[in-house]
Amino acid sequence: MGAPQETPVPGGVRLASAQGRWVLATSVLGSGMALLDSTVVNVALPKIGADLNADLAVLQWTVTAYLLTLSSLILLGGALGDRYGRRRIFVIGVVWFAAASLACGLAPNAGVLIAARALQGVGGALLTPGSLALIQAVFHPDDRARAVGAWSGLGGVGAAIGPFVGGWLVDGAGWRWVFFLNVPLAAVCVPVALRHVPETRRHDAVAHGGFDVPGAALGALALAGVTYALIAAPAGLSPGVVVPAVLGVLLGVAFVRVEGRRADPMLPPAIFRNRLFSAINAVTVCVYAAFSGFFFLAVLQLQVVAGYSALRAGTALLPTTVLMLLLSARSGELGQRLGPRLPLTVGPLLCAAGMLLMLRVGPGASYLTDVLPAMLVLGTGMVTLVAPLTSTVLASVDVDRAGLASGINNAAARAAGLVAVAALPLLAGMGPEAYRSADEFEAAFRRAMPLLAGVLLAGALLAWLTVRTGALRAAEPEPARRCHPECAYHCGVSSPPLDPGEPDPRAER
């Protein structure tokens, strides 16, 4: 089977051209909406709870409803872009995301907010894969790597200012403006995309067959059942907890069986026969479960227990993002030289140490002596492991499956975060009203941090036992080898893709 057939952009758009800058701006604006939203909502949680008179379960659902639909549908969203046009699906995703954001901001009660957050996740699943796919499909081969780098850097700036902007909005105009902010961003993004971004699609996707709608539906329902049971469990075991849990497990089994029988599954089981790919995704689950659980609880700890304002709490988390922004590229290069085994072992251990240092944060905690050291150690651990983790995921499979591999890894990370936010309050003994009491929340927080450190320790041990030092070197391509357009589909690959119609160099060997 030859390379996927793309609708070509004749010659490709150059990054230095006016159109190239518009395409890059469109992609950054779209992905920035989803990225900004994910970083600012946690900061707003205490004010959301107070304004809507909501318990901890509502705050959990405010986070997990979005992650549920996003993680379940992100692979399907990428496939829709392949078939119907990446710009079209991207624009639909941006409009959908903005409309759902408006509904979040106008929500009169917790039920409407949670439903709107789930709709936000659908929009995110449409625009997130498309934002980078636009760059890969539109730019000239010689400019794609630089365009991806610019996209990553500008996205990092957005992530860095997210907590600050969120805290400023929550303390000023109010938490609803955290969601309203997405509407003007979309109002700029959509017309620019329609005017300046050419449409591209894969020709073979049209004739390939149907979408894996049953797989997407079963995956979403399985996650929903388990999530509901975990969030409801602190109130006590009851049919309302047991039945969703059992249904979630049964639907998960049905999902595995359906994916194993379909000719074109959303999540091909065969890819998990690759031991390195399976192992690195297991490490991903451990790492991102811990990250999501930590950032969910940390902003609450800083506001409820330490007495920080929303702005101060959001700003307190900045060192982790700044370190990622400044040092991730060098970390990737170091991982390439040393091999992934050491960074993927040391990184989670450093993150675990940073989370344990957060046990020093209590009433009246000093930022310089209590919070900052924990953030610096945690950020160093994140820098150490994230870039090698992504590189190893991509290196673990053949180059023509790198897009699928990165998409699965992305979905695994988000699903892990979903389950962690749902399960952690239950495991830490956090009652429904815990976030309203400084003493009760602090006690639960002190139980939660060692649990998260233990999950990271498990990830470090798994990496040490299953990841070879030479994993990246063994899969490293020769200089002339280039990858297919979908390789950077979800998270980006620095190597330029094949030109449309260009023969695969592997066929010559």
Side-chain angles (χ1 to χ4, degrees):
M1 181 176 177
Q5 296 299 308
E6 298 276 339
T7 301
V9 177
V13 174
R14 302 308 302 240
L15 181 59
S17 68
Q19 185 181 18
R21 291 191 291 270
W22 282 117
V23 172
L24 180 62
T26 301
S27 181
V28 170
L29 271 175
S31 61
M33 286 173 56
L35 185 61
L36 192 65
D37 191 83
S38 66
T39 58
V40 301
V41 169
N42 280 356
V43 178
L45 290 176
K47 292 291 181 68
I48 292 174
D51 189 41
L52 300 181
N53 193 28
D55 61 14
L56 182 64
V58 170
L59 303 190
Q60 290 174 272
W61 275 115
T62 301
V63 176
T64 57
Y66 174 79
L67 291 174
L68 174 63
T69 49
L70 179 62
S71 60
S72 302
L73 301 176
I74 194 167
L75 289 173
L76 186 61
L80 287 169
D82 280 345
R83 174 172 296 190
Y84 295 114
R86 297 184 179 99
R87 185 189 67 178
R88 176 183 299 176
I89 298 303
F90 173 80
V91 168
I92 291 172
V94 171
V95 173
W96 188 309
F97 193 90
S101 298
L102 183 62
C104 289
L106 296 174
N109 54 54
V112 174
L113 175 62
I114 291 168
R117 284 286 284 166
L119 290 174
Q120 258 194 322
V122 177
L126 296 176
L127 74 88
T128 299
S131 64
L132 192 54
L134 292 177
I135 290 177
Q136 288 300 114
V138 171
F139 279 104
H140 189 281
D142 293 340
D143 286 348
R144 284 169 184 154
R146 283 191 296 139
V148 169
W151 178 87
S152 301
L154 292 170
V157 172
I161 66 173
F164 176 82
V165 171
W168 177 70
L169 288 172
V170 170
D171 284 342
W175 66 266
R176 296 180 185 275
W177 283 91
V178 167
F179 300 106
F180 290 152
L181 179 65
N182 293 321
V183 178
L185 292 177
V188 174
C189 184
V190 170
V192 170
L194 294 176
R195 181 175 177 82
H196 297 285
V197 179
E199 184 63 281
T200 61
R201 61 170 58 87
R202 283 177 58 183
H203 293 310
D204 69 333
V206 177
H208 182 61
F211 295 109
D212 186 10
V213 175
L218 286 171
L221 291 172
L223 283 172
V226 173
T227 301
Y228 182 89
L230 290 171
I231 292 176
L237 288 180
S238 66
V241 174
V242 176
V243 171
V246 173
L247 283 176
V249 172
L250 292 177
L251 289 168
V253 173
F255 170 77
V256 173
R257 292 178 65 86
V258 166
E259 295 300 275
R261 293 178 178 178
R262 282 187 65 90
D264 53 349
M266 178 181 72
L267 190 69
I271 197 170
F272 290 99
R273 294 172 189 161
N274 182 319
R275 292 179 62 185
L276 178 59
F277 180 77
S278 297
I280 205 66
N281 276 283
V283 175
T284 296
V285 167
C286 292
V287 166
Y288 281 92
F291 287 169
S292 297
F294 173 79
F295 285 110
F296 174 70
L297 293 184
V299 290
L300 289 171
Q301 175 76 358
L302 290 170
Q303 293 179 71
V304 174
V305 176
Y308 284 25
S309 66
L311 175 59
R312 193 179 176 195
T315 307
L317 304 178
L318 280 178
T320 58
T321 309
V322 172
L323 285 173
M324 288 285 292
L325 180 61
L326 295 177
L327 301 177
S328 286
R330 294 182 181 179
S331 171
E333 294 171 359
L334 184 63
Q336 194 76 28
R337 290 200 301 269
L338 297 179
R341 188 186 191 192
L342 190 59
L344 294 181
T345 302
V346 173
L349 294 177
L350 286 171
C351 290
M355 292 182 187
L356 292 177
L357 282 174
M358 280 294 289
L359 294 174
R360 301 172 59 188
V361 177
S366 164
Y367 179 71
L368 289 178
T369 60
D370 297 322
V371 181
L372 183 59
M375 291 297 103
L376 291 176
V377 174
L378 175 64
T380 302
M382 293 173 69
V383 166
T384 302
L385 74 90
V386 169
L389 182 69
T390 302
S391 299
T392 309
V393 168
L394 296 170
S396 66
V397 297
D398 291 338
V399 68
D400 56 358
R401 307 191 83 184
L404 174 64
S406 61
I408 292 172
N409 188 252
N410 193 321
R414 296 177 189 276
L418 162 69
V419 174
V421 172
L424 190 57
L426 170 64
L427 297 175
M430 213 172 273
E433 302 297 323
Y435 82 97
R436 301 183 190 276
S437 167
D439 291 339
E440 184 179 350
F441 191 88
E442 183 180 17
F445 184 81
R446 292 185 176 281
R447 291 190 291 268
M449 289 302 103
L451 290 175
L452 295 177
V455 172
L456 287 165
L457 179 61
L461 181 62
L462 185 60
W464 180 258
L465 294 176
T466 60
V467 178
R468 294 179 294 106
T469 298
L472 294 180
R473 289 194 296 271
E476 190 176 59
E478 64 273 18
R481 179 174 170 179
R482 291 183 288 168
C483 57
H484 292 301
E486 74 269 24
C487 290
Y489 201 80
H490 292 282
C491 65
V493 183
S494 59
S495 55
L498 286 166
D499 295 331
E502 182 178 347
D504 189 338
R506 293 171 301 160
E508 302 172 3
R509 297 199 299 272

